[in-house]
Amino acid sequence: MPTIHVMKTTLANMIAAGEVVDRPASVIKELIENAIDAQSSIITVEVFDMGMKEIKVTDNGDGMDLEDAKLAFLRHATSKISEEEDLNHILSLGFRGEALAAIASVSKVTLKTRKEDTDGVIVVYEGGSFVSEGSTPTNIGTSVSVKDLFYNTPARFKYIKSEFAERQAIMDIFDHLALAHPEIAFSLSIDGKLLKETYGNRNIEQLIYQIYGQNLTKGLLKASDTIQKIEVNAYLISPEHSRSKKKDITLIVNGRYIKNYRLIQAVIDGYHSRIMVGKYPMAILYLDMDPSLIDVNVHPQKYEVKFVNEFVLAFLIEDIIKRTLSYNTQEISTPYQRVMKDETYIQESLFIDENVSEAISEPTHSKIPDMDYIGTFSGTYLIFQNEDGLYLVDQHAAEERIRYEYYMEAFKNPVFATKNMLFSKPLNLSPSELLVLKEEIPKFTPFGFQFNENLELISIPTWLKDGEIDLAIESMIHMILEKQTIDLSLLRDALAKDVSCKGAIKANKPLNLSEIHAVMERLKHADNPYTCPHGRPTIIKLTHYEIERMFKRVVS
Ligand SMILES: Nc1ncnc2c1ncn2[C@@H]1O[C@H](COP(=O)(O)OP(=O)(O)OP(=O)(O)O)[C@@H](O)[C@H]1O
Ligand SMILES: [Mg+2]
């Protein structure tokens, strides 16, 4: 008698279910995706008790006849693909033929469905076993009710996190799927209360408003591009509305909401210095491409997607976002738009340097209006006025921005012209930093640094100012320590931020009129004059209206 036996289907399905449905939100995802695949134009989602009591998804799609409605519960039963070849060009969201079987194995499912010109049918499954079938009056389309989720898998049941976490996960998946399909009207209600609905009229601005519930569309930018047959439509929410998590960077590939680390990072890099440190942008990216360029058959939940040309795509996305954000003049902050952190800066001045103004490209148009200097407040804030109102410029932040762009420009090409030093320069580094330097010298040479056998500098890149050599070397060493390898674009960004910030703080004298003029001229011509590299505003505007409102001369 062999001890090994093939397990019964209900048990196999229950084991497999763990990968597909790990929480109520994943049931909702699978049911909504089935409804989308059925060409529905209206999808309603009802959730009771975090989805543990009941999840019900109703659509007005194609529907099924009785035979299909029963087959749908079998594992590996699908209408979406049939040949191996089909895996190479998947356009439907489902294709694995396992979601309904998985859900039904860990809950009690009632499916009602009706195709056009036929009668409605009902099929009931419980814990993976068929319970009953019959006819029933119902609308064209399908409704799937999932009750008592995980009732027969106590371990999973216990694993379900807090009510808050589950609710959040449910809303997140609903949001992402609704954003992915602007042509479908979605609604979500929790415990009988309607929480969100979308109109399905393809109006993305309206959709963003409906999903996020607040007006994030002010300053919304759209960027479109087609490169190598990949169509990119990016909706970029203004950097003002940053988030503390990355989840509101929504990637949609051929109508599928996906997660992809590299592409999400590309979006973050695209917004780079416009967002406060530790915050993330909000954006929705629709990518449409030939399905043979992607592989969605990576994980049962189908969030992960492999792209044939992921690096190119990431580069393209970052570039599109950067270009779009810098072409479009951001608005100057007003105190009502941005809650500023209370930060005190030491009084400092701008180190005026001919090279800096040369490095900044000639302006096409000024992004800061003409205004007259009136005075300086607290040694730090330059005050200006013009017919529109009053402006405060944080001279430290402005200097950081100017220097940052100077260094970004200087670091653009990986090979730099070098200048030899008159005397070799010993470096002011700790023993462990010297050790890293010794081992990693080849990583410094492309930047134009050369050392003698005593690890003293004998040549440096022409762009580096003498006073900033130690700072630059130190930054590079820390970059190597943190990241092991040197990513040129990250290094460039880190160095530009580090050098510009530390360089700016060093100087400490009030500005005279011609220096103020020089700062403002260079700020005007900066690529993004409105924030410092860390995302704090450089300039704040108080309009006439706002000032009059503060003095109660007008009633708002
Ligand atoms: N809402 C629906 N409307 C019409 N047909 C549906 C609906 N839900 C499921 N079906 C049918 O049932 C089949 C099985 O659904 P199931 O979700 O288990 O697998 P799938 O969608 O094919 O693949 P996956 O496991 O990747 O989701 C589908 O292929 C489809 O034919
Ligand atoms: Mg499915």
Side-chain angles (χ1 to χ4, degrees), residues 20 30-31 33-35 37-38 59 61-64 68 71-74 77-80 93-101 111 113 141-142 144 300 302:
V20 185
E30 293 300 335
L31 296 181
E33 289 192 342
N34 279 347
D37 281 344
D59 67 55
D62 296 336
M64 288 172 271
D68 276 343
L71 283 172
F73 284 92
L74 300 186
T78 180
S79 58
K80 299 171 191 176
L93 299 175
F95 57 89
R96 300 173 60 102
E98 62 186 358
L100 271 184
L111 181 145
T113 183
T142 303
V144 183
K302 295 162 287 193

Side-chain angles (χ1 to χ4, degrees), residues 453-472:
E453 63 285 359
N454 298 326
L455 288 183
E456 294 169 352
L457 263 177
I458 49 173
S459 71
I460 58 169
T462 44
W463 50 263
L464 189 65
K465 296 181 184 60
D466 286 353
E468 291 169 358
I469 297 173
D470 284 312
L471 195 61

Side-chain angles (χ1 to χ4, degrees), residues 300-448:
Q301 294 194 347
K302 295 162 287 193
Y303 280 126
E304 263 174 67
V305 170
K306 284 205 161 49
F307 296 88
V308 171
N309 38 14
E310 195 168 294
F311 274 101
V312 180
L313 194 57
F315 176 79
L316 164 79
I317 287 173
E318 180 181 336
D319 186 55
I320 291 176
I321 295 178
K322 272 191 180 147
R323 273 189 285 131
T324 310
L325 292 176
S326 64
Y327 284 160
N328 289 278
T329 310
Q330 244 175 292
E331 290 194 356
I332 295 170
S333 305
T334 75
Y336 303 106
Q337 287 168 349
R338 192 187 285 268
V339 182
M340 281 193 25
K341 271 208 209 133
D342 222 358
E343 297 192 38
T344 22
Y345 290 123
I346 48 167
Q347 184 187 333
E348 72 284 335
S349 83
L350 200 99
F351 171 62
I352 311 287
D353 182 308
E354 288 309 306
N355 294 338
V356 174
S357 42
E358 270 169 27
I360 292 163
S361 52
E362 276 308 299
T364 40
H365 63 281
S366 171
K367 292 174 178 170
I368 292 183
D370 283 336
M371 48 200 196
D372 301 321
Y373 172 70
I374 325 177
T376 299
F377 169 66
S378 188
T380 302
Y381 303 101
L382 311 174
I383 311 169
F384 299 85
Q385 69 174 356
N386 66 13
E387 60 283 1
D388 293 334
L390 192 73
Y391 301 80
L392 286 172
V393 173
D394 177 339
Q395 66 182 51
H396 174 84
E399 184 191 7
E400 269 190 43
R401 165 54 61 187
I402 292 165
R403 281 173 169 268
Y404 175 73
E405 292 198 2
Y406 163 70
Y407 278 107
M408 286 301 273
E409 190 63 32
F411 277 97
K412 227 175 201 164
N413 304 309
V415 179
F416 300 107
T418 57
K419 57 183 178 194
N420 291 329
M421 305 187 70
L422 221 43
F423 304 103
S424 61
K425 178 186 158 28
L427 292 166
N428 205 359
L429 296 171
S430 71
S432 61
E433 285 169 340
L434 277 171
L435 208 66
V436 177
L437 178 63
K438 197 172 163 191
E439 282 172 8
E440 306 283 357
I441 280 183
K443 290 186 175 151
F444 289 83
T445 36
F447 294 92

Side-chain angles (χ1 to χ4, degrees), residues 33 39 99 160 222 226-227 273 295 327 379 405 485 499 538 554:
E33 289 192 342
Q39 316 297 330
I160 294 305
K222 185 184 172 196
T226 311
I227 296 198
S273 65
D295 183 4
Y327 284 160
E405 292 198 2
T485 57
V499 172
T538 52
V554 289

Side-chain angles (χ1 to χ4, degrees), residues 277-290:
V277 179
K279 296 270 181 179
Y280 300 98
M282 298 177 74
I284 301 136
L285 268 76
Y286 297 92
L287 308 179
D288 289 285
M289 60 184 80
D290 187 309

Side-chain angles (χ1 to χ4, degrees), residues 24-96:
S26 43
V27 173
I28 291 170
K29 170 185 184 283
E30 293 300 335
L31 296 181
I32 295 181
E33 289 192 342
N34 279 347
I36 295 171
D37 281 344
Q39 316 297 330
S40 312
S41 60
I42 304 172
I43 298 173
T44 62
V45 182
E46 295 161 84
V47 177
F48 296 91
D49 189 18
M50 305 184 289
M52 300 304 283
K53 190 168 167 213
E54 185 179 4
I55 291 167
K56 189 171 177 191
V57 174
T58 307
D59 67 55
N60 67 346
D62 296 336
M64 288 172 271
D65 58 23
L66 182 62
E67 199 182 350
D68 276 343
K70 286 197 291 184
L71 283 172
F73 284 92
L74 300 186
R75 189 138 172 254
H76 309 307
T78 180
S79 58
K80 299 171 191 176
I81 59 171
S82 46
E83 304 298 330
E84 289 90 331
E85 226 295 286
D86 298 341
L87 272 180
N88 299 331
H89 36 80
I90 287 173
L91 276 169
S92 56
L93 299 175
F95 57 89
R96 300 173 60 102

Side-chain angles (χ1 to χ4, degrees), residues 42-228:
I42 304 172
I43 298 173
T44 62
V45 182
E46 295 161 84
V47 177
F48 296 91
D49 189 18
M50 305 184 289
M52 300 304 283
K53 190 168 167 213
E54 185 179 4
I55 291 167
K56 189 171 177 191
V57 174
T58 307
D59 67 55
N60 67 346
D62 296 336
M64 288 172 271
D65 58 23
L66 182 62
E67 199 182 350
D68 276 343
K70 286 197 291 184
L71 283 172
F73 284 92
L74 300 186
R75 189 138 172 254
H76 309 307
T78 180
S79 58
K80 299 171 191 176
I81 59 171
S82 46
E83 304 298 330
E84 289 90 331
E85 226 295 286
D86 298 341
L87 272 180
N88 299 331
H89 36 80
I90 287 173
L91 276 169
S92 56
L93 299 175
F95 57 89
R96 300 173 60 102
E98 62 186 358
L100 271 184
I103 295 167
S105 73
V106 291
S107 67
K108 301 169 184 171
V109 178
T110 303
L111 181 145
K112 290 182 186 175
T113 183
R114 179 154 84 88
K115 274 168 93 105
E116 215 176 342
D117 303 327
T118 60
D119 292 333
V121 295
I122 178 168
V123 176
V124 179
Y125 261 76
E126 213 176 290
S129 303
F130 172 79
V131 174
S132 64
E133 62 175 74
S135 56
T136 183
T138 184
N139 293 330
I140 290 178
T142 303
S143 88
V144 183
S145 151
V146 176
K147 286 189 176 149
D148 300 336
L149 186 62
F150 303 134
Y151 80 100
N152 54 349
T153 54
R156 179 70 70 184
F157 190 88
K158 271 193 228 136
Y159 169 80
I160 294 305
K161 296 190 187 136
S162 69
E163 186 173 338
F164 178 79
E166 291 312 318
R167 244 176 101 96
Q168 199 53 49
I170 288 168
M171 289 202 289
D172 285 346
I173 191 62
F174 176 87
D175 289 354
H176 289 130
L177 293 174
L179 285 170
H181 289 273
E183 78 286 5
I184 299 177
F186 287 89
S187 73
L188 170 67
S189 61
I190 294 188
D191 296 327
K193 210 172 115 203
L194 180 67
L195 278 193
K196 294 186 185 197
E197 57 180 340
T198 70
Y199 298 144
N201 60 3
R202 296 173 196 268
N203 179 332
I204 307 282
E205 283 195 27
Q206 211 172 52
L207 182 59
I208 291 173
Y209 181 77
Q210 287 163 319
I211 290 302
Y212 292 112
Q214 43 174 305
N215 200 358
L216 304 176
T217 52
K218 189 165 177 282
L220 179 76
L221 297 173
K222 185 184 172 196
S224 301
D225 214 336
T226 311
I227 296 198
Q228 293 178 2

